[in-house]
Amino acid sequence: MKTESSDVGLRLRLYVAGNAPNSQRAIANARVICDEHFNGRHELEIVDMLEQPGRALADGIIVTPTLLKLLPLPVQRVIGNLSDRDQVLLALTGT
Amino acid sequence: MTPLPGILLNPPDLAQRLAEAEATIEALLSGQIDAVVDSKSHTPVLLAQAQEALRESQKRLRDIIDGLGPSMFVGLMTPAGILLEANRPVLAAAGLQPEDVMGKPFEDTYWWSFSPESRERMRATIERAARGEGSRYDVQVRAAHGELIDVDFSLHPLRDETGAVVFLVPSATIITERKQTENALRESNENFHHLADNITDVFWIRSPDMRDVQYISPAYERIWGRPVNTLYSQPQQWADHIVPEDRARVDAAFATLKGDVPNIDLEYRIARPDGEIRWVRSRGFQVRDAAGTLIRLIGIITDTTEPRSLQAQLMVSDRMASVGTLAAGVAHEINNPLAAVIANLEFVSESLTTMGSQPSATWLLEEVKQPLDEAREGAQRVRLIVRDLKIFSRSPSDDPSDAVDVKAILESSLRMAWNEIRHRAQLVKRYGVVPSVKANEARLGQVFLNLIVNAAQSLPEGRAEHNEICVSTRLEGKRVIVEVSDTGAGIPPEIIGRIFDAFFTTKPVGVGTGLGLAICHRLVTDIGGELTVQSEVGKGTTFRVALPVADEPERKVAQPVEQVPGTGRRGRILVVDDEELVLHSVQRMLFKEHDVVAVSAATEALALCARGEAFDVILCDLMMPDMTGMDFHRWLSGVAPQLASRLIFMTGGAFTAKAQQFLAETPNEHIEKPFHPANLRAIIRRHLR
């Protein structure tokens, strides 16, 4: 589990499945998007569902990769490897 | 709003759950999901493994297809002919990207773009395949750099469980090499046919048992006079037209060729539909594969009819050459007895002169009888020699084969060659009792003479006591064996195989024609015999002639000698001969019994007859200058036909063809010179009866 934190309001949690290709791609895509658009004012937690299935269950995750936007509310989920950057940004910023 | 794929709204209400489900399905379909949580066990299940396995198997399939390499094309298309898949190396080989061909009508792809015809043909093939009918054919396609290559193309329909055609599978294999091989083979075959079809000899290929004709060149038609295709349907036709006399010999030879004799070489005669007889030389060979199995028989048949007639002319000239080389020896042979004749007659003539007009009876007996007898003996010897010579003046075609006595012919040949033999060797004769053989006297005489002269010439002159020529006869089964051996230098093994070849000679230029043994071989073979040679260098050579025994016994020619003193009536005889000596001798033979009128020209004789003079018999020479006996006969038939029938011709032996024909066609009798007085008188008496 890796955590990248910031004081400012964007808080994300990405559920992945080990080193599976889409999971790896989702991690990479998430980092690039966050670095480019939120410039460190964000916190990205990566959770391996294979290691912590309980947390996934608690968060209502049924497939990986799934990106949860916990803050700012409302909570949003993005399913898939995050390769469509525009749609991901739409979900994260709500714009 | 239309939910965006992969995006859910929070808080989860019904619409959001629906959107979540749609996004999840969307993500699943687009392959972006690694794992799902099992709804019953609540444990995560990795999708990646399943996907990976699927991908792996797809990859393996593709590896297999692509592994076919650039020389084999495999694809998949819709029943409408839209290409869905193709193995990549083939695309690469043609310089194509997958998007150049995938999703396009197959007939519009690069491969068929070189001609509208090939495009149309492909369209038709696709339509047939869509109806469930597969195709396969060789066709040209465009490859890299526009080059056209030959492929073995096929298009087959794939059906689902209901039997409907769901896909078409095109495949193609490059066959440029195969095509080249086929072309090379066809060219080679064409070359073979071009060659074989145009040679004047018959070239044939048959199965090892001779039953099937695999090939026969058109020359068969020319020689046999029968169409080639009839031989394919009747493989034994060639043999059916062999003349009956040669059939058994040919069958025997081919029986050995079907067995373990690697090649045969023989001559035989065939009868054409028009009745013409042609001579052919047939050579046959066995063809075996690497394992030594007999796989076919091949052969060449040459029409030797014309070469044979040419050779027949050469035979005559060679016979003349033989006679020429022997002329000196024969002259010597004749001169000896002739010298005795002349000397004895001279002696008698001188004695008569010195004795005056009243010789006593005792003197006649003691002084004249013996020289006269010796003169006659000498003359008889000359007569024998001349008879021997006549054997060689006949043309072979004149005398058909007959039952002949080998020993008599050998003796005659030995007499001819005696002058060659006597200074070189002692002659040994070992005659066994043998039946007559079926042969032509003149031809056989020529063979023996040739062998004997060869034997003699292999020996140096002047050492006669150290050398030997042996002539022997014996019976071996149904064959008479005649051997002529010498103790000469022998024939080296390297040339012994060629000694029967025409124009092969070891003698200096001008001495031998090189035809002697070739002709001997031909003559002996022609009468069904065999001429072979055995030789050891330094020891000598033996030529062996094997001859078939004659079916019928030898024809005995009865000598019409009547020694009964003539008491018949006295007749009036006209003798016509341009040779005064003959004229006088005939006059002397007859004048005691008959009245003889002798004239030296046919014109004179004709004048007498035309004047109405009567004769009981007219003896007339056949060959005379001015008017021949033949002309005389014709004129006489006109002037005095009753006399023409009383004409008897005297012949000297050397006939022209015209004279021969005349004698054969004219009923009048003829007698050959020289004749014995008793014979002449007997004939005259017969005519006076």
Side-chain angles (χ1 to χ4, degrees), chain B residues 616-679:
Chain B
D616 295 300
V617 175
I618 300 172
L619 287 168
C620 178
D621 188 22
L622 194 63
M623 305 305 288
M624 286 181 292
D626 300 338
M627 185 185 276
T628 67
M630 296 174 271
D631 295 332
F632 177 57
H633 177 264
R634 199 173 62 241
W635 281 105
L636 197 57
S637 302
V639 181
Q642 77 285 358
L643 288 179
S645 63
R646 296 178 189 170
L647 204 48
I648 298 173
F649 294 106
M650 299 183 289
T651 63
F655 291 155
T656 62
K658 197 176 145 207
Q660 252 176 330
Q661 196 186 351
F662 172 79
L663 286 177
E665 288 170 357
T666 314
N668 298 57
E669 195 170 353
H670 68 274
I671 54 175
E672 286 197 20
K673 289 188 244 178
F675 32 73
H676 196 278
N679 283 353

Side-chain angles (χ1 to χ4, degrees), chain B residues 363-383:
Chain B
W363 180 87
L364 274 176
L365 276 175
E366 289 178 359
E367 297 288 322
V368 183
K369 180 81 165 58
Q370 202 192 342
L372 282 180
D373 281 349
E374 284 175 12
R376 190 175 58 197
E377 195 191 317
Q380 289 287 0
R381 268 176 59 192
V382 172
R383 185 183 157 196

Side-chain angles (χ1 to χ4, degrees), chain B residues 502-514:
Chain B
F503 304 110
F504 179 79
T505 180
T506 57
K507 294 172 190 169
V509 172
V511 173
T513 58

Side-chain angles (χ1 to χ4, degrees), chain B residues 272-340:
Chain B
R272 291 163 57 93
D274 56 13
E276 191 191 345
I277 301 292
R278 294 202 82 85
W279 273 98
V280 296
R281 177 185 180 191
S282 177
R283 279 166 289 176
F285 308 89
Q286 293 185 337
V287 179
R288 292 179 183 273
D289 63 12
T293 312
L294 186 59
I295 50 172
R296 68 181 73 93
L297 302 174
I298 63 170
I300 297 170
I301 303 170
T302 313
D303 188 338
T304 54
T305 312
E306 268 133 53
R308 278 184 82 93
S309 70
L310 192 67
Q311 194 154 7
Q313 289 168 22
L314 285 172
M315 275 156 64
V316 172
S317 62
D318 189 72
R319 198 172 52 236
M320 288 307 161
S322 309
V323 171
T325 54
L326 283 163
V330 171
H332 183 267
E333 286 298 289
I334 291 177
N335 277 340
N336 277 337
L338 208 55

Side-chain angles (χ1 to χ4, degrees), chain B residues 196-206 210 213 215-242 268 270-273 278 280 282 299-303:
Chain B
D197 290 358
N198 289 293
I199 54 172
T200 52
D201 292 355
V202 174
F203 179 68
W204 56 262
I205 305 173
R206 279 173 171 262
M210 287 291 287
V213 176
Y215 176 78
I216 181 105
S217 64
Y220 175 79
E221 211 155 311
R222 196 177 53 74
I223 298 178
W224 259 258
R226 290 175 165 84
V228 165
N229 52 21
T230 61
L231 187 67
Y232 285 105
S233 50
Q234 308 161 45
Q236 287 308 309
Q237 188 196 63
W238 69 280
D240 292 341
H241 300 291
I242 295 171
Y268 56 86
I270 53 141
R272 291 163 57 93
R278 294 202 82 85
V280 296
S282 177
I300 297 170
I301 303 170
T302 313
D303 188 338

